Amino acid sequence: SINTGSLTHCHGSAVVRAGDTAVVCGVRGEILSAQDVVDHRPATTVEELRRRYGGHATRLDEMNEEEKVKRKARAEDAEEMAYLNLLVPNVELSTGCSPSHLPGGPPSEEAQALSHRVLTLMHTSQLISMDEMRIWHHPTTQSPLPSPSPPPEPSPSNPPTSTSLDIPNDPEDDTTSPQPSTVRAYWTLHITLLVLSLSGPPFATLWTALIAALRNTRLPLAWWDADANTVLCSPAISSAKPLTLNGPPMAMGFGVFEAGPAGGLVSSQQQAKEREEEEEEKEKSWVLVDMDGFEAGVCAEEVTVVVRGNRKGRGMEVLKIEKGGGGLLGREGMREVVGLAGERWEEWREMVEGS
């Protein structure tokens, strides 16, 4: 179940419950002044910003020129966002969510690892565009000073004086020339993921809560005020704009359970027969989806698949595969797991968008 807008003091929030795991996510935007960025120089174009903070060419697959330009621009925006540290996720497990996570303690290694995994996936999936985070200053093209009245034309009754000199105006002193727009600040998203109840691997539930909260986020209209030399925000709720997410991707967890030999007293002939069967074929294993705490404790291998579907029917994009614990799941098994995640993406997207 997914409920959004539960927290009134955040720009976006969501409460997600999957089985016995419950997560609350809150998103709050803070303003980072460009003056506080190390080695920051005012940039007048988006291309200049991408060359400065990104600019590293990424490997492009076979695609048309327009798609290549879009893919490269998204990759450079992701590098700029990572350089400026505009996304700050924090996973909190010290809430008494399970017997192994007592309340009031310092952040555990598991919580820090989950925070890093969430941050890495947000960057690699290019979830948020930099256009949503920049705050521009668009100076007016008209001079605030009143324009001087033109001098009177010479006439017989008003001859020109010797002090009237035809001196061209200095272009640097021309206040009426248009000035380029510059980036003066950035939005920084502080994301808090609070685990209320934990049963099994929480990464998939954390990611779902993050996506639902970001879809619910509304950032106020912000602009740079030259007179106050600061960023001002509009208090009108109608002017707040939602975030545009790329995808969004879905994370799905799997576990591989290996069947061990049965216990009890067996004869020597039975033991020999069992050994022959083990040599002829591998021991049976089962793939479990959305494991709880007990299932995760007995599974020898865990797999996390992150996929992003395409509404235009161009197939499924695999963003990340994390696999650890052994080699029970081979190539054919991985294909089945990825296919299952792709089939479930559409159902997951409808549930997130309908919240």
Side-chain angles (χ1 to χ4, degrees), residues 273-289:
K273 184 178 180 180
E274 289 179 356
R275 283 194 296 267
E276 292 177 359
E277 293 178 353
E278 291 177 0
E279 293 177 358
E280 292 178 357
E281 60 179 359
K282 296 181 179 179
E283 294 184 0
K284 295 181 179 180
S285 59
W286 292 267
V287 177
L288 307 180
V289 184

Side-chain angles (χ1 to χ4, degrees), residues 186 195 207 216 266:
Y186 300 90
V195 181
W207 184 256
N216 182 252
V266 294

Side-chain angles (χ1 to χ4, degrees), residues 136-163:
W136 291 83
H137 171 52
H138 303 284
T140 57
T141 57
Q142 298 180 355
S143 174
L145 300 178
S147 58
S149 58
E153 297 182 358
S155 61
S157 60
N158 185 22
T161 60
S162 59
T163 57

Side-chain angles (χ1 to χ4, degrees), residues 240-251:
K241 59 179 181 178
L243 293 176
T244 303
L245 304 183
N246 182 22
M250 180 203 70

Side-chain angles (χ1 to χ4, degrees), residues 181-209:
S181 301
T182 57
V183 177
R184 293 302 185 92
Y186 300 90
W187 280 109
T188 303
L189 299 182
H190 294 266
I191 306 168
T192 302
L193 293 157
L194 193 67
V195 181
L196 301 180
S197 177
L198 179 61
S199 177
F203 182 76
T205 308
L206 289 170
W207 184 256
T208 302

Side-chain angles (χ1 to χ4, degrees), residues 183-353:
V183 177
R184 293 302 185 92
Y186 300 90
W187 280 109
T188 303
L189 299 182
H190 294 266
I191 306 168
T192 302
L193 293 157
L194 193 67
V195 181
L196 301 180
S197 177
L198 179 61
S199 177
F203 182 76
T205 308
L206 289 170
W207 184 256
T208 302
L210 171 68
I211 297 297
L214 289 177
R215 286 183 53 84
N216 182 252
T217 299
R218 301 292 186 273
L219 295 179
L221 178 63
W223 68 93
W224 177 266
D225 188 273
D227 296 334
N229 196 27
T230 186
V231 176
L232 300 180
C233 296
S234 173
I237 301 178
S238 58
S239 63
K241 59 179 181 178
L243 293 176
T244 303
L245 304 183
N246 182 22
M250 180 203 70
M252 191 172 182
F254 301 89
V256 182
F257 174 73
E258 180 184 10
L265 299 177
V266 294
S267 61
S268 58
Q269 295 180 354
Q270 183 69 19
Q271 291 179 357
K273 184 178 180 180
E274 289 179 356
R275 283 194 296 267
E276 292 177 359
E277 293 178 353
E278 291 177 0
E279 293 177 358
E280 292 178 357
E281 60 179 359
K282 296 181 179 179
E283 294 184 0
K284 295 181 179 180
S285 59
W286 292 267
V287 177
L288 307 180
V289 184
D290 296 335
M291 300 175 291
D292 57 16
F294 174 77
E295 293 172 342
V298 298
C299 285
E301 188 174 349
E302 293 185 10
V303 181
T304 302
V305 180
V306 181
V307 297
R308 175 164 50 199
N310 196 323
R311 301 184 185 181
K312 299 180 181 180
R314 297 181 181 176
M316 191 69 54
E317 180 183 5
V318 180
L319 299 179
K320 178 180 288 188
I321 297 178
E322 297 178 355
K323 181 174 179 291
L328 297 175
L329 200 62
R331 294 184 178 180
E332 294 298 330
M334 289 300 300
R335 291 192 184 97
E336 295 179 1
V337 165
V338 173
L340 180 60
E343 294 175 0
R344 194 171 179 180
W345 179 85
E346 187 68 26
E347 176 185 353
W348 176 86
R349 181 186 64 83
E350 294 177 356
M351 180 178 59
V352 172
E353 293 182 355

Side-chain angles (χ1 to χ4, degrees), residues 50-51 54-60 68 71-73 75-76 79:
R50 289 170 177 166
R51 287 194 303 268
H56 301 288
T58 56
R59 184 178 62 83
L60 301 177
K68 285 183 179 180
R71 180 71 64 87
K72 185 177 180 181
E76 292 173 348
E79 291 185 7

